[in-house]
Every structure is written in structure tokens, then in C-alpha cells.
């Protein structure tokens, strides 16, 4: 058994150039594990608070004064005790004193340190009951950005390539090929325009939602035919971001919840969508349930801002058959223990989990381990930029280790 000798925190920057926290742990034997916390932009209302009111400076001071003294001396194998201590030291339901980012970095850093101290892969330390580490998540890769992640793009926040090929080598290759193909199609369609890229590495172009979706569908069709690898279109609407006064406000029109259900059910049929995240605002369990009943046999219907990885919010959804999948983001709840409580609940009820990055992220691959350890249906991440590719490359490594 190994124990933590020192716990320190420092200020680092994420892929948006925003300040965040890295926690570094060292065992008495000198084994080191360090992890930085990612941050969202279209955060759900029910997520824990990323930083205390005084920002990173206050988070660092609190870590040194109150968090580190409570953690030093603990056994590396006691993840649940460690995470419980983070809650105790904080003392609020939303981590508003120590900050959810501090909790996330400290929680994942312990798992990483324990894995290193015991010579195990991180996924193996985190493995859920019944997971063999031989099956790999589909890639949900961001190809085009809109909403809060891009200026001048469509209202829909993310347009994804969804590749459920069983081997990471195939799914990663197919998703990347769709991203490249989308770029080429956009250049053809908008000659003379400067194309940009959004926070998650997807293309940004001055197109409407349907035009952007047509480009994505075209790219998916071509790539799956060329590579003989399945890859389908998917969307994260992040619909809370364009919901005001009871209506979903698109540039050219607005619809109520019923209109939104009809619009999305039509998109699923017309374009063969296989992944549909946050199609409604974050409190509307009923519309989620209606859409899942209508199209849940054809596509994943995924709750992100709806559940914010909270087991309590997810339980409320289970009772109402709200969705057939849930997005999992560790820093929405702040610890691995809280995260896996929700993952285990989903697994018991046959609801798929999709392990997700944040729009502000770091060049680190631990997320791929969380996905494999969860037996996740998908790994949602960007496709371009070092902080995105790090997760893909780590999944490739895990796949290669099993011959997949
Ligand atoms: P965020 O967005 O990381 O900016 O919250 C990602 C998402 O909505 O899935
Ligand atoms: Zn989302």
C-alpha cells in the first residue's frame, strides 16, 4: 500500500487560454501523478461550480490551507475515502468553496498516482463491474462548431462524426476523415471565404443549421463508402443556449417544444442521425421522453445539460424514460466517485454512457481511460488540436494493446 506524501496545486492554462488548476501528488516512494481540470463554456445550470468566487487565486490558497492537509497521508487505493474528504473539506453541495475544478484535478490525480504506484493502467484501476477492457467506445468527433463555441456559425453547437466501428484504429480514422472531408466541402461551397475553427477544433463557416448538416451528411456518406467503416452524422444542440421565453430561437424561425420534437424527429429520419444530444432545454424531461419514444430505436438520445452527470438528476430521468444515453463529464460533479455512481446506475439500467471532454481542455489522455473503464458507448471529443488528439491517441494505444 502506498501513501500520499505531498499534494500541491498550481495555475495552468487550458486550450482557450483560461486559467485552471493542476494538482500534483507524490507518494512516499516518490511516485508522481499530476492532472489538470478542463472547463466548459456552455455549462449546465446544475453543474458544480468550477472555481470559488475569487477564481484560481482563491482556489490555490484554499488548496494549500485546507485541502492538502486533509489529503496528505492517505492511501492511494482509497479513492472513495479521498473523494469523500474533498466533499467534507468543501462542505457545500456544489463545491463552491474549494471549486469543482480543484476537486476534479485532485480526484483524477489520485487514480493516476495509484495506477502508477501499482504498475497498472489507469482504466484498470477505474474499471466498472463487468467491463473487460476489450470493447471500445464509438468515436463522437466534433467536425463543425456553432453556438457558444464559435462566432458566426449555426445555432446548433456541434456537428459530429459518430463512428461505432469496434476497433479504435477504424473509428478514429473514419472520424478524422470526415473532418477533413467537411473542410474540403466547405471550401468548395464557400469559395473565397476564410474558414475558421471553433473551441473544439471543428470547422466554423457562415452556414445555417440545415446547410451545415447537409455538408456533414455528405462527408459521412463518402467516407463510410471509401473506408468501409461505419460513420454517421450526429448533433449536440446544446438547446438551452438558444431557448428563450418558451421557444427555441433559430435565426429564421422559432418553435415551441412540440415543434422542436417534430423538427428533430424529421432530421433523424431524413439524415440518418445516430447521436442527438441536448435537443431540449435542460429542465424539459418530458420532451426528451417524447423524442426518445419516437426515435430512440434509431439514434442515441443523450442528456448532457439535462443531467449534468448527477445521479439524482439521472434517477429522475430513468423513472420517466427520458433518454437512452447520458453524457458523462467528471468535472460536472467534481469527483470520480460521483461520476461512477452515475455510470454504474446507467449500466444497471441499460442506458448508454458517453464519456466527454470539455470545450476548454488539456493535452492529456485520461478521458480515454474513463471511457474504457466505463464500458462507454461513446467517447466524445474533438478531432483536431493537441488537447483533442491526445484523447484519440490514448484510445488508439489502449486498442493496440488488446490487438483491436
Ligand atoms: P462545454 O460544452 O464543455 O462548453 O460545456 C460541451 C457540451 O455542451 O457538450
Ligand atoms: Zn453538450
Amino acid at each position: 500500500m502506498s501513501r500520499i506524501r505531498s499534494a500541491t496545486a498550481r495555475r495552468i492554462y487550458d486550450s482557450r487560454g483560461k486559467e485552471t488548476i493542476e494538482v500534483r501528488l507524490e507518494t512516499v516512494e516518490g511516485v508522481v501523478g499530476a492532472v489538470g481540470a478542463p472547463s466548459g463554456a456552455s455549462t449546465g445550470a446544475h453543474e458544480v461550480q468550477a472555481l470559488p468566487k475569487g477564481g484560481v487565486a482563491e482556489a490555490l490558497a484554499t488548496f494549500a490551507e485546507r485541502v492538502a492537509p486533509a489529503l496528505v497521508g492517505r492511501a492511494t487505493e482509497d479513492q472513495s475515502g479521498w473523494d469523500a474528504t474533498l466533499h467534507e473539506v468543501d462542505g457545500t453541495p456544489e463545491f463552491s468553496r474549494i471549486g469543482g475544478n480543484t476537486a476534479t484535478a485532485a480526484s483524477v490525480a489520485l487514480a493516476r498516482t495509484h495506477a502508477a504506484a501499482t504498475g497498472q493502467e489507469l482504466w484498470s484501476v477505474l474499471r466498472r463491474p463487468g467491463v473487460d477492457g476489450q470493447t471500445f467506445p464509438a468515436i463522437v468527433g466534433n467536425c463543425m462548431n456553432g453556438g457558444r463555441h464559435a462566432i458566426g456559425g449555426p445555432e446548433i453547437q456541434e456537428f459530429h462524426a459518430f463512428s461505432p466501428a469496434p476497433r479504435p484504429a477504424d473509428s478514429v480514422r473514419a472520424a478524422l476523415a470526415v473532418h477533413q472531408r467537411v473542410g474540403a466541402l466547405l471550401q468548395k461551397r464557400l469559395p473565397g471565404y476564410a474558414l475558421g475553427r471553433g473551441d473544439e477544433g471543428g470547422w466554423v463557416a457562415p452556414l445555417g443549421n440545415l446547410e451545415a448538416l447537409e455538408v456533414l451528411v455528405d462527408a459521412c456518406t463518402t467516407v463510410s463508402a471509401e473506408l468501409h467503416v461505419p460513420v454517421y452524422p450526429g448533433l449536440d444542440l446544446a438547446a438551452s443556449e438558444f431557448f428563450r421565453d418558451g421557444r427555441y430561437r433559430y435565426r429564421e424561425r422559432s418553435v415551441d417544444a412540440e415543434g422542436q420534437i417534430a423538427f428533430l424527429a424529421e432530421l433523424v429520419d431524413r439524415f440518418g442521425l445516430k447521436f442527438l444530444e441536448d435537443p431540449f432545454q435542460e429542465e424539459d424531461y418530458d420532451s426528451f421522453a417524447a423524442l426518445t419514444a419516437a426515435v430512440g430505436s434509431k439514434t442515441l438520445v443523450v442528456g448532457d445539460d439535462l443531467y449534468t452527470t448527477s445521479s439524482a438528476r439521472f434517477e429522475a430521468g430513468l423513472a420517466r424514460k427520458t433518454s437512452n444515453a447520458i453524457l458523462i463529464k467528471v468535472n460536472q460533479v467534481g469527483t470520480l466517485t460521483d461520476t461512477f455512481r452515475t455510470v454504474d446506475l446507467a449500466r444497471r439500467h441499460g442506458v448508454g454512457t458517453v464519456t466527454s471532454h470539455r470545450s476548454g481542455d488539456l493535452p492529456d489522455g485520461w478521458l480515454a481511460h474513463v471511457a474504457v473503464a466505463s464500458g462507454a458507448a461513446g467517447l466524445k471529443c474533438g478531432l483536431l488540436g493537441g488537447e483533442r488528439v491526445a484523447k484519440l491517441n490514448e484510445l488508439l494505444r489502449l486498442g493496440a494493446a488488446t490487438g483491436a
Side-chain angles (χ1 to χ4, degrees), residues 86-343:
L86 292 169
H87 277 292
E88 277 158 31
V89 172
D90 179 84
T92 72
E94 67 284 348
F95 275 124
S96 61
R97 290 208 186 98
I98 72 170
N101 278 11
T102 296
T104 300
S107 184
V108 181
L110 184 74
R112 175 169 271 170
T113 306
H114 181 59
T118 53
Q120 298 180 73
E121 286 281 3
L122 179 57
W123 74 265
S124 167
V125 164
L126 303 175
R127 175 207 311 239
R128 309 324 295 158
V131 168
D132 61 4
Q134 309 283 313
T135 47
F136 294 91
I139 293 295
V140 189
N142 191 324
C143 291
M144 272 187 284
N145 290 179
R148 279 225 189 189
H149 293 170
I151 299 164
E155 291 90 353
I156 292 179
Q157 182 176 281
E158 299 163 23
F159 296 76
H160 284 270
F162 175 84
S163 179
R167 297 170 66 236
D170 292 328
S171 56
V172 169
R173 188 161 64 110
L176 278 165
V178 171
H179 189 290
Q180 277 154 20
R181 180 84 193 167
V182 165
L185 290 171
L186 290 173
Q187 261 165 17
K188 227 197 259 168
R189 200 164 171 139
L190 300 161
Y193 273 88
L195 293 175
R197 293 226 308 268
D199 287 355
E200 296 182 348
W203 298 102
V204 179
L207 292 179
N209 294 306
L210 286 183
E211 291 173 307
L213 189 50
E214 277 163 20
V215 170
L216 177 71
V217 171
D218 184 342
C220 287
T221 309
T222 310
V223 167
S224 51
E226 271 175 18
L227 300 185
H228 306 290
V229 173
V231 57
Y232 307 101
L235 299 174
D236 176 4
L237 283 93
S240 289
E241 303 292 337
F242 55 93
F243 179 77
R244 276 187 309 282
D245 303 325
R247 297 183 77 80
Y248 296 93
R249 298 184 184 271
Y250 297 99
R251 214 157 294 155
E252 64 285 359
R253 71 199 176 103
S254 75
V255 291
D256 62 10
E258 252 172 51
Q260 181 81 337
I261 295 172
F263 171 54
L264 293 169
E266 197 219 314
L267 288 189
V268 170
D269 284 339
R270 188 157 133 216
F271 294 113
L273 300 179
K274 296 275 186 212
F275 179 93
L276 198 49
E277 178 180 331
D278 279 355
F280 306 99
Q281 55 96 0
E282 61 206 332
E283 310 297 346
D284 191 355
Y285 283 82
D286 291 341
S287 297
F288 263 90
L291 186 68
T292 302
V295 299
S297 61
K298 302 177 202 160
T299 179
L300 291 180
V301 178
V302 189
D304 170 17
D305 291 346
L306 176 73
Y307 302 129
T308 56
T309 315
S310 144
S311 55
R313 287 188 67 80
F314 180 52
E315 256 173 344
L318 279 174
R320 294 150 90 165
K321 298 196 182 343
T322 307
S323 70
N324 57 16
I326 174 172
L327 209 73
I328 298 292
K329 292 168 167 168
V330 179
N331 75 328
Q332 283 182 326
V333 281
T335 72
L336 286 172
T337 302
D338 291 285
T339 302
F340 286 127
R341 185 175 304 123
T342 304
V343 167

